[in-house]
Amino acid sequence: KVQVSLVGGLDTKTDEKNITGVSFLELENFRFTKTASLTKRAGYEEYSRVIDGASPITTGAAITSFNNELLLFDGSQLYTHLTTDDSWKSRGYYTNAIATEVPAIGTGVSFSDTEFYSNGQLTAYIAVNKSTGFTGQEMTVNIVDNADNKVLSTFNFGGYNGAVTKNKLGVAFLNGRFFFFYRKEDDSTFVYRYVDLAAIDTISAETTFVNAAEIRVTSMFNAIYVGTLVGSSANVTIIPPTFVVSGPIVVDAAATSAPALSDEDLKARILYNTAGGLKTTLYNQSITAQLHAPVVVATAAYDFSAANYALGFSAIYYTKNGTDSSEDIYRRTVTSTGTL
């Protein structure tokens, strides 16, 4: 142990051969801000800019921490840092609340159902136009600029008979294309069209997708995940960036609704209804390995509405009719091992 007097401070003028021992000629990794006070300079480590399933982060507007979580804002999206592989995971887009409302699809028309999806800059809508005078042009698709609510393109087309009800429409975004899914009621076949942003004034022809009763569409893991109900089978079909369809993969062969999916810490959380109640399970991204067995979220003892359920961040939301005939909204959390 050697004691060094620091009363003299940092001497940058005296030759090191003539130093008297009361000052330093050089000082590394310490701060000397006042007499007899020496503090260690904190080091730093550069974090990766890699985003899971997307292009790297190019700008940063703010960074902070909450408990043990490192958070980043790049001006439009929110991210959390994954320590397992030093990457970032998007937690969605940030938008300011607005006090006014503007028409998203149109005014003076009647729509029986609608779905939409936003990629941050643009929002795409698909709706069923039930107004008179639209025979053969019942489907309406709009793409809107979020910055000024300007409609960039509109398409009207037909191709179905009868009413389109809940879980018969879907919108997703993948590799510069908005995909629009809808069911042709005359033969129960789901088809899709897409609009490539490089040719935003053109919509593709119909592509036959699947014969099913219901559909639920989700964009995640840089792919499109489509939950379908085929007979009594809850299936998942994946459309990757190559647009080559993979599946269907059977999740449960005794279901009564199409499965909903969400990204849960780089795993696929799945939620669907059965005769025994609402169930949830967890898979890997490719839906090839089940990470915990299905668990019942809400039992069939209630008059459960199969259409009214949704997934949030590690949470499940659903409605069910209670014994007093009122419909309540419930929320349950679930762990990666299936504990509710």
Side-chain angles (χ1 to χ4, degrees):
K1 182 177 180 179
V2 178
Q3 294 182 342
V4 179
S5 172
L6 300 179
V7 177
L10 187 63
D11 190 343
T12 60
K13 298 180 179 180
T14 305
D15 189 284
E16 59 180 344
K17 301 186 186 65
N18 300 321
I19 200 72
T20 60
V22 297
S23 300
F24 286 115
L25 293 174
E26 295 181 2
L27 191 62
E28 293 184 2
N29 295 327
F30 286 92
R31 290 189 174 91
F32 193 89
T33 56
K34 59 183 179 179
T35 303
S37 177
L38 189 66
T39 57
K40 183 179 180 180
R41 182 178 70 85
Y44 64 89
E45 179 181 356
E46 184 177 1
Y47 280 93
S48 166
R49 298 186 179 186
V50 174
I51 303 174
D52 175 65
S55 302
I57 296 172
T58 57
T59 60
I63 191 167
T64 187
S65 61
F66 179 75
N67 293 333
N68 295 324
E69 188 176 15
L70 184 62
L71 307 171
L72 174 69
F73 177 55
D74 69 355
S76 61
Q77 286 199 67
L78 303 168
Y79 300 92
T80 182
H81 185 255
L82 304 176
T83 58
T84 53
D85 59 358
D86 188 23
S87 66
W88 296 90
K89 176 180 174 60
S90 175
R91 287 300 189 185
Y93 287 88
Y94 167 83
T95 56
N96 290 321
I98 57 176
T100 58
E101 60 181 19
V102 295
I105 299 181
T107 58
V109 292
S110 174
F111 296 109
S112 65
D113 198 12
T114 183
E115 291 288 344
F116 66 91
Y117 184 83
S118 176
N119 69 350
Q121 289 75 38
L122 306 175
T123 300
Y125 301 84
I126 184 171
V128 182
N129 193 332
K130 300 301 294 181
S131 300
T132 58
F134 281 86
T135 303
Q137 298 289 309
E138 297 89 351
M139 306 301 294
T140 296
V141 165
N142 270 17
I143 299 179
V144 179
D145 190 328
N146 293 342
D148 55 9
N149 295 304
K150 180 181 179 181
V151 177
L152 302 180
S153 56
T154 300
F155 306 95
N156 294 294
F157 49 90
Y160 81 100
N161 295 315
V164 176
T165 57
K166 187 66 177 176
N167 298 337
K168 303 298 191 297
L169 302 174
V171 184
F173 183 77
L174 178 64
N175 267 13
R177 295 178 180 179
F178 277 111
F179 283 77
F180 304 92
F181 297 81
Y182 56 97
R183 184 185 180 194
K184 301 184 69 167
E185 293 290 336
D186 52 349
D187 57 6
S188 300
T189 300
F190 277 95
V191 299
Y192 68 79
R193 296 172 181 249
Y194 66 83
V195 175
D196 194 318
L197 297 186
I200 200 169
D201 295 325
T202 303
I203 191 167
S204 73
E206 289 181 351
T207 296
T208 300
F209 185 65
V210 66
N211 189 292
E214 291 182 2
I215 193 170
R216 282 177 175 260
V217 181
T218 306
S219 293
M220 61 184 189
F221 307 137
N222 196 30
I224 299 175
Y225 286 67
V226 184
T228 59
L229 178 64
V230 180
S232 61
S233 181
N235 300 340
V236 175
T237 299
I238 302 174
I239 303 177
T242 58
F243 306 121
V244 178
V245 176
S246 173
I249 304 163
V250 177
V251 174
D252 196 308
T256 59
S257 72
L261 297 99
S262 72
D263 174 1
E264 184 176 300
D265 293 328
L266 304 182
K267 305 174 185 67
R269 170 65 61 189
I270 301 179
L271 182 67
Y272 58 94
N273 197 34
T274 70
L278 186 65
K279 292 184 179 181
T280 185
T281 184
L282 191 68
Y283 275 79
N284 61 348
Q285 291 186 19
S286 58
I287 319 294
T288 55
Q290 191 178 67
L291 305 181
H292 75 67
V295 293
V296 176
V297 178
T299 67
Y302 293 86
D303 181 16
F304 181 75
S305 177
N308 296 333
Y309 58 84
L311 284 160
F313 291 122
S314 300
I316 297 167
Y317 300 87
Y318 55 95
T319 63
K320 60 183 181 181
N321 292 335
T323 56
D324 59 354
S325 298
S326 64
E327 190 171 85
D328 301 314
I329 299 175
Y330 294 80
R331 177 183 182 272
R332 297 194 75 172
T333 57
V334 58
T335 66
S336 60
T337 58
T339 302
L340 295 169

